[in-house]
Amino acid sequence: DTGVSQNPRHKITKRGQNVTFRCDPISEHNRLYWYRQTLGQGPEFLTYFQNEAQLEKSRLLSDRFSAERPKGSFSTLEIQRTEQGDSAMYLCASSLGNGGRVYYGYTFGSGTRLTVV
Amino acid sequence: DAKTTQPTSMDCAEGRAANLPCNHSTISGNEYVYWYRQIHSQGPQYIIHGLKNNETNEMASLIITEDRKSSTLILPHATLRDTAVYYCIGPGDAGKSTFGDGTTLTVKP
């Protein structure tokens, strides 16, 4: 297992287009998280899954954003009708968790950098 | 969510110990403290976590005060490659929290 993989690494799109990012977590991890990070800021939580269930969504996740994790394996994050304010690094992380505890921390991918022009 | 406070930036001489403080005065009794670091253009990397007792691993040591209101991450012999942004996050289920802006550690030769 080579860790958390995110594709693509970079995406440039025109405003109004739809984009989709993929995250492949560590295979034995049951939890998967999406974060967004803008320049000079720390990562901001967007949403997370436990297996295939989406358990929580941040209010930062507008209706234009949707995330899925079919079969509890890889996950996709789609942004519809992109806006310039969506330009950011989108990070995926996975962990092995149970209830309120998290074991051994989170493993992050290298992120997908989105630029909306 | 527990709120954490960290200094914006710190410098450290190469080969010396780097001590990075974090205040987490609102943390509850069963919430872990996690430390991550982020090197430019990469995803955050897990360093260490703890609940009550001091912890040590191959990367760092974590000292948690008895009242659990603050902690210190110690890099015993800082190298230039340790230059990064270091994040302390409070809640036990840390995936639901915002990292804050962290401490930018610059290790100087």
Side-chain angles (χ1 to χ4, degrees), chain A residues 25-86:
Chain A
I26 291 175
S27 56
E28 60 265 28
H29 284 181
N30 60 340
R31 288 187 171 180
L32 186 148
Y33 302 80
W34 285 99
Y35 288 85
R36 180 174 68 189
Q37 185 173 27
T38 53
L39 197 61
Q41 307 291 316
E44 297 174 297
F45 167 76
L46 293 179
T47 187
Y48 91 97
F49 294 82
Q50 179 156 309
N51 300 313
E52 67 276 8
Q54 188 173 18
L55 296 188
E56 189 161 335
K57 294 193 294 185
S58 163
R59 63 180 181 276
L60 295 174
L61 212 65
S62 76
D63 291 344
R64 297 184 297 105
F65 288 70
S66 62
E68 296 182 342
R69 193 185 182 196
K71 303 179 182 179
S73 56
F74 72 92
S75 176
T76 58
L77 177 68
E78 181 183 18
I79 308 174
Q80 296 180 327
R81 304 180 304 281
T82 53
E83 302 172 356
Q84 287 188 319
D86 297 331

Side-chain angles (χ1 to χ4, degrees), chain A residues 35 37 45 56 101-102 106, chain B residues 32 34 36 38 95-96 100:
Chain A
Y35 288 85
Q37 185 173 27
F45 167 76
E56 189 161 335
R101 294 193 57 175
V102 175
Y106 299 81
Chain B
Y32 283 74
Y34 285 80
Y36 291 80
Q38 187 172 28
K96 296 190 289 185

Side-chain angles (χ1 to χ4, degrees), chain A residues 9 31 33 35 37 40-45 48 56 89 91 99-102 104-106 108-110, chain B residues 30 32 34 36 38 40-46 49 87 89 92-101:
Chain A
R9 288 296 308 274
R31 288 187 171 180
Y33 302 80
Y35 288 85
Q37 185 173 27
Q41 307 291 316
E44 297 174 297
F45 167 76
Y48 91 97
E56 189 161 335
M89 174 78 84
L91 293 162
R101 294 193 57 175
V102 175
Y104 312 121
Y106 299 81
F108 280 85
S110 296
Chain B
N30 63 349
Y32 283 74
Y34 285 80
Y36 291 80
Q38 187 172 28
H40 183 61
S41 297
Q42 298 181 20
Q45 175 192 24
Y46 165 81
H49 72 283
Y87 297 101
I89 54 178
D93 193 358
K96 296 190 289 185
S97 67
T98 299
F99 276 51
D101 295 335

